[in-house]
Amino acid sequence: LPGGNPPRCGDTHRQPELADTLREIGRKGRAGFYDGAVADDIVATLAALGGPQNQDDLAAQAADFVTPLSGRFAGYDLLECPPNGQGATALLILAALGDWTPWKDAKDPKLRAHLYIQATKQAYHLRNLGITDPEAMRISIGEFLSEGSIKAVRDYCQAPAPQALAQIAPWETDTICLSVVDKDGLAVSFINSLFSPFGSTILAPESGVMLQCRGTSFNLDSMHVNCLAPRKRPMHTIIPGMLMQNKKVVMPFGVMGGQYQAAGHAALLMGLLEEGLDLQAAIDAPRMFGYGDLVQVEADVPPEIVSYLTEAGHKVETAATPLGGAQAVWIDHQRGVLIGGSDQRKDGLALGY
C-alpha cells in the first residue's frame, strides 16, 4: 500500500532493492544469496523480530538432487519428488484405487466420488503420521507405499461411515506452476511458492527479499514426526509432477493448491487416463477435497454428488474459493504435437511459440 493506498491503474511499481539482489545472484550464483550482504540483511531482519537464525544457518543451506519416486497408474508411470514433499501421497491414493476391483467396478460418479474422498482422507492421514524431512522420518518411503498402507486406504474406503481422522488445516497458498517442453523434447515441471499470500509478510528491506513461511507446515508437538527442530525441513505441499509411458515423458504438470495438491494429482490423472477427458477438460473438471472430517466441494460439483456424500456421512461444505489450479503440457509423440492446458481458476495460459 504505497503511501497507505492501493496502487491505481497506471501507477508504476518498482522494487529496486530486489533488482539489485537478482543482479548479485546473477554475478555470484548461490553465494549472492546465502552469503554476503543479502544473507546479512535477512538475518538482521529476523533477529530484530526475535528470530534465532544466524549466518551459519543460511550458509549451511543446500539443495538436493534426488531420485524421483514412481508409481504405476492406468498404464503410465507417475514421477513425484520424494520427502520432504508430499508426492508419495498422490502415489498412495492412485496405488490404492487404480487396480482395486471396487474402484474399477464403480461406474456411478457418486460412488467414485465417495471412494476418491475416502482414499484421500486416509492417505493424508498416513502422510501426517509419516512424511517429514527424510533425515527425520521414522519409516521408509517403501513402508509408506507398502501393501499395508494400500490396504489401510482400501479398508477406510469400505468403512460403513467416515471415521474420525486428525484434522489438517487447508492452508491457503500463493503458488505458481510452469510446465514447459522445448523443441528438443526437454520437459520441465516447476513449482515456486511463498506459501501464504506474501509469504511470512516479512520483507528484508535492504535486499528486497520477501521471506516465505514454509515453517507453517511444522507441528509444535515435540512428539510429532513433523515437529519443529533445528536444521530440519518441514513436510511441504508443493509437488511438481511428471507422467511417463514406455520410458518417454508424456506430460510435465503441476496442480497448485497447498494441501490439495496430492489429491489434485490423483484427480487430474483419473480424469485424463480413466475417464478419457481431454487435457483442458480434465483440468476444468469440478473438484472435491476430503481432509479430516470435512469435504470441500466447488460450486459446480453436481448436486446429486453432494447429496450422496452427505447421506454417506460426510460433512460437506462449498469451498469459498476455487480448489487449486493446474498447468500441463501433453506430448503427443505419435502426431508430433504439444497440447497445453491452463486452469481458469488462476492466472495463466497455454502458449506455443
Side-chain angles (χ1 to χ4, degrees):
L1 299 175
N5 298 304
R8 297 176 301 165
C9 182
D11 284 352
T12 300
H13 176 72
R14 295 183 176 89
Q15 291 176 265
E17 296 84 7
L18 182 59
D20 288 343
T21 292
L22 294 174
R23 293 189 187 98
E24 185 75 353
I25 294 170
R27 287 190 293 266
K28 299 181 179 179
R30 179 195 179 283
F33 186 87
Y34 288 107
D35 297 301
V38 174
D40 291 344
D41 181 40
I42 292 171
V43 169
T45 300
L46 294 172
L49 297 170
Q53 296 87 351
N54 58 40
Q55 280 82 356
D56 289 342
D57 292 318
L58 271 71
Q61 178 59 34
D64 297 327
F65 288 87
V66 297
T67 301
L69 304 176
S70 66
R72 293 283 291 175
F73 180 72
Y76 291 79
D77 295 303
L78 172 60
L79 304 187
E80 297 279 1
C81 288
N84 54 322
Q86 65 164 336
T89 315
L91 296 179
L92 180 56
I93 295 170
L94 293 170
L97 294 180
D99 293 326
W100 189 39
T101 300
W103 173 258
K104 294 172 73 172
D105 290 346
K107 307 304 181 185
D108 185 342
K110 301 189 292 297
L111 176 57
R112 286 177 65 87
H114 169 71
L115 293 175
Y116 162 73
I117 290 295
Q118 289 288 85
T120 298
K121 285 185 175 185
Q122 180 67 351
Y124 273 68
H125 176 65
L126 296 176
R127 180 204 74 172
N128 293 345
L129 295 176
I131 301 297
T132 187
D133 187 320
E135 296 298 321
M137 283 181 60
R138 300 167 188 167
I139 62 171
S140 69
I141 201 63
E143 290 174 288
F144 181 84
L145 293 171
S146 69
E147 289 299 322
S149 296
I150 291 172
K151 182 179 184 301
V153 173
R154 291 174 175 175
D155 287 347
Y156 188 78
C157 286
Q158 294 186 307
Q163 306 297 308
L165 295 173
Q167 191 82 344
I168 55 174
W171 303 315
E172 295 182 7
T173 67
D174 200 25
T175 303
I176 66 96
C177 170
L178 300 174
S179 297
V180 182
V181 181
D182 73 5
K183 62 183 177 62
D184 299 315
L186 176 66
V188 175
S189 175
F190 173 87
I191 292 183
N192 188 49
S193 178
L194 287 175
F195 207 15
S196 297
F198 293 97
S200 63
T201 73
I202 298 171
L203 180 73
E206 300 299 322
S207 61
V209 173
M210 179 70 78
L211 302 177
Q212 44 88 350
C213 58
R214 283 282 153 189
T216 302
S217 303
F218 276 125
N219 193 301
L220 297 182
D221 179 353
S222 62
M223 302 302 293
H224 196 281
V225 66
N226 199 41
C227 66
L228 177 65
R231 299 284 173 91
K232 182 179 180 181
R233 297 170 178 174
M235 186 281 295
H236 72 77
T237 58
I238 52 178
I239 46 171
M242 194 77 73
L243 194 67
M244 300 185 69
Q245 188 179 47
N246 299 325
K247 298 183 179 181
K248 290 184 177 180
V249 175
V250 294
M251 187 177 70
F253 73 101
V255 179
M256 300 153 278
Q259 299 270 23
Y260 173 73
Q261 290 184 56
H265 278 209
L268 178 63
L269 296 187
M270 289 169 183
L272 272 173
L273 307 180
E274 289 189 326
E275 299 171 28
L277 300 177
D278 66 41
L279 182 58
Q280 190 62 51
I283 289 173
D284 291 343
R287 292 177 179 158
M288 300 168 285
F289 182 34
Y291 60 91
D293 63 352
L294 185 66
V295 177
Q296 286 188 327
V297 298
E298 291 185 325
D300 55 350
V301 170
E304 60 271 20
I305 291 180
V306 175
S307 297
Y308 184 92
L309 293 176
T310 302
E311 292 168 4
H314 296 281
K315 180 181 177 184
V316 183
E317 72 173 23
T318 301
T321 58
L323 293 174
Q327 308 285 109
V329 180
W330 184 271
I331 305 172
D332 188 326
H333 291 283
Q334 184 174 0
R335 293 187 291 170
V337 297
L338 304 176
I339 301 167
S342 181
D343 206 318
Q344 61 184 331
R345 296 169 177 88
K346 296 175 70 91
D347 290 340
L349 75 163
L351 177 68
Y353 68 96

